[in-house]
């Protein structure tokens, strides 16, 4: 089976690597987003997928607007591929491109469709507090993740999963599911199931406003925001910006979901349960854990943070290094009185 692979980020790497390791597949070309300037030196850097492709001496195309790039489209025709495989490519393919392969265009999508169509399914399912997600392979059409579904694989979501950890797990799931999908497709043993648009939900692109923490929200909502939009959520601390990298909501409903090293917080609960403060206020600094913060509903432990211009540090090191005390407020000023 001759394949042209479309993909860009780390999420797509396991799938391309899996195709390259299977002798029944021949990857004849790779399409990815153009090189971007990154890092302190502002140097042009290739996408993770381009790195893999070059290491395997594969032809690579990086059009800025593939739908308008006649040269790339001509090269895709010349490849005479059976299948186009698309994994987090980052551009919408025109019907002209979708019609090129002889067998199908197959997409590996990071949700259980028709839920979370769109650009950020992994981030949005965490933000919404879902307990389960997965991967769907589907036949592509000109819509936004609206094609007929082929196979699905489900994955649970734990309390401490974030966009990176869940994304890494789903990337491996997607790689395996695609191989199974292509073999069944080749043999005519998979049925395409049309999506029910009435059950569809959407996962829009993440915007800057999504990163700002509002301490009037519940502990669970804030935790979901921090892990969904990892590692970019922000608040203010003593008048300066502070990134909140990892959190844990604290309370009896969460003990069984915590690993042993965090569940020992249960011993502190008789004291914590009696405390209260304004939204964003540190109600207690627990030795060995760090700041416990009052939210609009419930308490939130700051596990990892990052001061502007500094490295990520544990909540313990942050509390010790800043001499953090109960009564200070994130996203506001110190409580007087």
């Amino acid at each position: 089976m001759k394949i042209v692979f479309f993909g860009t980020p780390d999420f797509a790497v396991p799938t391309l690597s899996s195709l390259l390791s299977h002798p029944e597949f021949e990857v004849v070309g790779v399409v990815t987003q153009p090189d971007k300037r990154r890092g302190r030196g502002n140097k042009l850097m290739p996408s993770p997928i381009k790195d893999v492709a070059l290491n395997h001496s594969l032809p690579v195309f990086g059009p800025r607007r593939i739908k308008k790039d006649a040269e790339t489209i001509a090269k895709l025709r010349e490849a005479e591929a059976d299948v186009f495989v698309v994994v987090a490519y980052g551009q919408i393919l025109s019907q002209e491109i979708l019609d090129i392969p002889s067998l199908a265009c197959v997409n590996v999508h990071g949700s259980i469709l028709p839920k979370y169509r769109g650009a950020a399914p992994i981030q949005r399912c965490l933000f919404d507090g879902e307990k389960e997600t997965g991967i769907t392979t589907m036949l592509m059409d000109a819509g936004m993740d609206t094609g007929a579904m082929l196979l699905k694989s489900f994955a649970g979501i734990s309390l401490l999963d974030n966009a990176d950890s869940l994304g890494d797990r789903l990337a491996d799931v997607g790689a395996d599911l695609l191989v199974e999908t292509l073999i069944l497709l080749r043999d005519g043993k998979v049925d395409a199931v049309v999506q029910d648009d009435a059950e569809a939900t959407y996962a829009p692109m993440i915007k800057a406003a999504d990163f700002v923490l509002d301490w009037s929200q519940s502990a669970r909502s804030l935790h979901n925001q921090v892990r969904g939009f990892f590692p970019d959520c922000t608040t203010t601390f003593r008048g300066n910006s502070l990134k909140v990298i990892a959190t844990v909501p604290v309370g009896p409903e969460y003990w069984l979901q915590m690993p042993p090293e965090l569940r020992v917080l249960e011993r502190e609960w008789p004291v914590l349960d009696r405390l209260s403060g304004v939204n964003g206020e540190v109600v207690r600094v627990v030795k060995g854990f760090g700041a416990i913060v009052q939210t609009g509903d419930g308490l939130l432990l700051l596990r990892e943070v990052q001061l502007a211009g500094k490295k990520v540090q544990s909540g313990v090191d942050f509390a010790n290094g800043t001499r953090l005390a109960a009564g200070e407020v994130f996203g506001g000023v110190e409580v007087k009185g």
Side-chain angles (χ1 to χ4, degrees):
M1 182 180 285
K2 295 173 66 176
I3 295 170
V4 173
F5 186 89
F6 295 69
T8 300
D10 287 321
F11 180 78
V13 168
T15 306
L16 177 56
S17 299
S18 181
L19 292 174
L20 292 169
S21 70
H22 282 76
E24 59 265 52
F25 305 127
E26 179 188 3
V27 180
V28 296
V30 170
V31 184
T32 189
Q33 292 279 55
D35 296 353
K36 291 186 177 180
R37 296 192 181 276
R38 297 184 179 90
R40 292 184 178 180
N42 202 31
K43 295 180 180 179
L44 277 174
M45 301 292 289
S47 72
I49 282 297
K50 185 174 180 178
D51 276 337
V52 175
L54 293 178
N55 287 337
H56 287 81
S57 301
L58 296 173
V60 181
F61 309 100
R64 294 193 177 281
R65 296 185 64 193
I66 190 169
K67 292 193 291 187
K68 303 291 185 179
D69 195 305
E71 182 179 353
T72 298
I73 293 173
K75 292 292 185 183
L76 292 174
R77 294 187 189 281
E78 291 172 10
E80 297 184 340
D82 300 300
V83 174
F84 287 175
V85 169
V86 182
V87 186
Y89 169 46
Q91 295 189 43
I92 295 175
L93 304 186
S94 65
Q95 191 63 50
E96 178 186 10
I97 295 171
L98 296 175
D99 289 340
I100 292 174
S102 60
L103 185 57
C105 283
V106 178
N107 177 240
V108 177
H109 186 73
S111 77
I112 299 298
L113 291 170
K115 294 188 70 175
Y116 297 103
R117 296 173 177 174
I122 296 171
Q123 294 88 340
R124 294 292 179 185
C125 82
L126 287 165
F127 178 72
D128 288 348
E130 298 283 2
K131 300 294 180 62
E132 185 178 60
T133 185
I135 293 287
T136 305
T137 54
M138 67 174 177
L139 299 176
M140 295 182 67
D141 60 20
M144 176 65 75
D145 302 322
T146 55
M149 302 174 292
L150 297 171
L151 298 181
K152 297 180 180 182
S153 183
F154 292 80
I157 301 174
S158 74
L159 180 68
L160 300 187
D161 267 326
N162 62 29
D164 270 17
S165 64
L166 182 58
D168 287 347
R169 206 160 76 243
L170 290 179
D172 291 335
V173 171
D176 292 339
L177 193 67
L178 176 71
V179 169
E180 182 182 358
T181 299
L182 292 181
I183 291 172
L184 292 174
L185 193 63
R186 178 197 64 192
D187 297 341
K189 294 181 178 179
V190 61
D191 294 323
V193 178
V194 175
Q195 294 188 45
D196 184 351
D197 290 342
E199 296 182 358
T201 62
Y202 292 88
M205 291 182 66
I206 299 166
K207 300 179 180 179
D210 292 321
F211 300 138
V212 180
L213 298 176
D214 175 1
W215 294 98
S216 69
Q217 298 297 307
S218 70
R220 185 62 189 250
S221 294
L222 288 162
H223 175 65
N224 289 339
Q225 183 179 359
V226 167
R227 66 196 188 129
F229 304 139
F230 173 89
D232 294 312
C233 286
T234 61
T235 187
T236 55
F237 172 67
R238 296 176 183 171
N240 297 309
S241 179
L242 177 74
K243 277 191 175 183
V244 179
I245 307 297
T247 57
V248 182
V250 178
E253 63 268 46
Y254 304 111
W255 304 139
L256 294 180
Q257 301 175 59
M258 293 183 184
E261 66 269 19
L262 288 174
R263 192 173 175 184
V264 294
L265 267 174
E266 187 175 358
R267 301 172 188 169
E268 298 283 334
W269 185 244
V271 174
L272 294 173
D273 191 35
R274 296 196 299 268
L275 301 176
S276 65
V278 300
N279 296 335
E281 182 182 350
V282 178
V283 295
R284 187 174 177 85
V285 179
V286 179
K287 185 177 181 180
F289 291 94
I292 305 291
V293 182
Q294 178 70 56
T295 73
D297 182 12
L299 301 177
L300 192 69
L301 169 68
L302 303 189
R303 290 188 70 208
E304 292 184 345
V305 298
Q306 185 177 17
L307 290 160
K310 303 293 184 179
K311 294 181 179 179
V312 175
Q313 59 184 165
S314 69
V316 176
D317 289 343
F318 168 69
N320 291 340
T322 60
R323 297 186 178 180
L324 188 66
E328 291 198 71
V329 177
F330 293 99
V333 296
E334 184 173 346
V335 174
K336 306 294 184 181

